[in-house]
Amino acid sequence: RLHSEAIKKFSIVLGNSTASSSTREDAFVWKLALLGWQSHFEEAERVYQKAHREMPWSLKILNRRAWLYCNQKLYKKGIDEFIKISAIVPNNEDAFQGKIFAWRSRTDVPEAEKFVEAENVVQDAIKHQRNNRAILPAILNERIQFYLNQKEK
């Protein structure tokens, strides 16, 4: 219920032609996130298309699309989207975290391959984020989650 109310509020913001670009971008991102969490993927795709037409430069919106694929368990597509973001901004922390999450969540590849690919992303993130200590906890948390998943199997 709270998600539905929040989606309505974000729709009001998006309908306001005087809202700043930054405000609209955040409203798109949060609306997409909420729709994904509620598994309203068709509506999320329509909102994404509108957001992307309006703000094709927005890494936040591109990032949210990648997470929408992950919400749908389409992890390969999610990884492909995160790779596109990395091509634009090689040290994008959200892309690193998303790629690690998607690799550890995949069920269509052998465990050994998932581990190697996720660890490669962790190492790449550490290399690119060496001077950004703020992101390291999120990256290392994804690594810990992956190790915990390994122990459970």
Side-chain angles (χ1 to χ4, degrees):
R1 177 168 140 62
L2 292 176
H3 286 165
S4 296
E5 289 299 315
I7 289 169
K8 287 178 188 174
K9 299 281 186 200
F10 291 126
S11 295
I12 291 168
V13 170
L14 293 169
N16 180 353
S17 60
T18 62
S20 72
S21 178
S22 174
T23 298
R24 292 182 62 73
E25 181 183 34
D26 287 342
F28 275 128
V29 167
W30 280 105
K31 186 172 181 177
L32 287 166
L34 292 168
L35 290 168
W37 295 334
Q38 290 187 317
S39 300
H40 295 195
F41 301 122
E42 287 181 19
E43 184 178 353
E45 182 60 25
R46 286 190 299 274
V47 171
Y48 168 77
Q49 292 300 328
K50 180 179 180 182
H52 187 65
R53 274 192 309 276
E54 188 174 318
M55 301 176 170
W57 44 264
S58 172
L59 290 177
K60 290 180 182 179
I61 291 169
L62 294 174
N63 182 58
R64 183 46 46 199
R65 179 160 211 207
W67 281 106
L68 281 170
Y69 283 130
C70 292
N71 292 140
Q72 297 172 74
K73 299 183 180 4
L74 300 171
Y75 301 113
K76 173 71 172 96
K77 283 187 167 186
I79 290 168
D80 292 343
E81 291 297 313
F82 288 123
I83 288 170
K84 289 177 187 175
I85 294 166
S86 294
I88 298 167
V89 180
N91 64 345
N92 184 280
E93 55 213 54
D94 295 325
F96 285 127
Q97 188 174 7
K99 283 187 279 188
I100 298 164
F101 172 84
W103 271 111
R104 74 178 172 83
S105 300
R106 286 184 72 173
T107 58
D108 62 332
V109 295
E111 288 296 312
E113 182 180 345
K114 287 169 47 170
F115 180 81
V116 168
E117 293 296 336
E119 185 60 28
N120 286 342
V121 177
V122 168
Q123 293 304 318
D124 196 33
I126 290 170
K127 180 178 77 179
H128 278 89
Q129 297 294 333
R130 201 173 304 264
N131 296 324
N132 184 359
R133 301 257 187 255
I135 183 57
L136 290 179
I139 298 300
L140 296 177
N141 181 56
E142 288 295 336
R143 178 193 259 169
I144 290 166
Q145 291 299 320
F146 192 79
Y147 280 107
L148 291 174
N149 290 354
Q150 292 292 307
K151 284 189 113 178
E152 290 174 2
K153 295 184 182 203

